Amino acid sequence: RRAQSGDDVIGLADRQVQGNAPAFTVTSVTAVNDEPGVAQRIEGTFQVPCYLDNPGCGPGGSFEYASRRSNLPVRSDTSNFRTRPFYCKVPSAATPANRALAVHYGHGLLGSGNQVWDESDIQRMAERHNAMYCGTDWTGMNEPSVPFAIEVLQNLSLFPQFADRLQQGFVDQLYMGR
């Protein structure tokens, strides 16, 4: 699993990045002139392996496990990937000699990753601490997840699938960080 995320030697415990980042595409870079301390907004997509047992990690999918005694999910379909968006706000203080601190933004219930562009607190932190905030849509917490969440509230036997979907959101976040 570590090799899939690009850290294929020892893992993250050694605090050294080995390997390559997952596939990503930058779709736009926009200069920002009307926000003090912010130089650019970057938008793009990245590829994440889907651990749920349905194509593209749609609502209602579940993890599959190696055995009944295992708590580690396996990917039965290793071609099952999905494309996730990312949004970054680059501070104006960032330069090759003065690298910005990378910060993951995790939105709350019904939010989206592009909130990094709108939050005034984030703008102040980016300016004050040379911090580049990046976010993605948190699977299970974003607005498109609401219909399935309502279905789960009406039928609690679906809760394990909802929990698995939230955990896929953690995988998404880890891949965005890479």
Side-chain angles (χ1 to χ4, degrees), residues 24-41:
F24 68 95
T25 302
V26 173
T27 56
S28 70
V29 177
T30 306
V32 176
N33 299 318
D34 58 347
E35 292 182 60
V38 178
Q40 296 176 323
R41 289 181 176 176

Side-chain angles (χ1 to χ4, degrees), residues 26-171:
V26 173
T27 56
S28 70
V29 177
T30 306
V32 176
N33 299 318
D34 58 347
E35 292 182 60
V38 178
Q40 296 176 323
R41 289 181 176 176
I42 300 173
E43 188 172 356
T45 60
F46 61 102
Q47 295 295 303
V48 181
C50 177
Y51 282 87
L52 300 179
D53 61 2
N54 58 358
C57 284
S62 297
F63 284 154
E64 292 185 37
Y65 297 95
S67 70
R68 300 191 97 208
R69 294 179 181 236
S70 172
N71 61 356
L72 294 175
V74 296
R75 293 179 62 216
S76 58
D77 180 1
T78 57
S79 67
N80 191 9
F81 281 81
R82 67 190 191 141
T83 303
R84 304 302 298 150
F86 71 85
Y87 313 91
C88 294
K89 194 176 214 178
V90 181
S92 54
T95 66
N98 186 27
R99 292 183 176 185
L101 172 68
V103 179
H104 275 248
Y105 176 79
H107 64 76
L109 185 61
L110 305 181
S112 67
N114 68 3
Q115 285 177 256
V116 297
W117 293 343
D118 300 328
E119 296 287 331
S120 60
D121 291 339
I122 289 175
Q123 179 181 336
R124 284 192 295 276
M125 291 291 287
E127 180 180 3
R128 189 174 303 141
H129 300 288
N130 190 24
M132 178 183 71
Y133 280 80
C134 293
T136 188
D137 297 340
W138 194 282
T139 300
M141 296 289 284
N142 57 348
E143 190 172 345
S145 298
V146 171
F148 185 61
I150 291 170
E151 189 177 343
V152 169
L153 289 172
Q154 294 170 344
N155 179 358
L156 292 178
S157 68
L158 297 174
F159 187 78
Q161 286 119 320
F162 187 72
D164 288 351
R165 188 162 170 72
L166 287 169
Q167 290 180 79
Q168 178 66 43
F170 280 99
V171 173

Side-chain angles (χ1 to χ4, degrees), residues 6-20:
D7 202 353
D8 50 7
V9 178
I10 297 173
L12 301 176
D14 65 351
R15 302 179 71 86
Q16 298 295 316
V17 177
Q18 294 95 18
N20 299 310

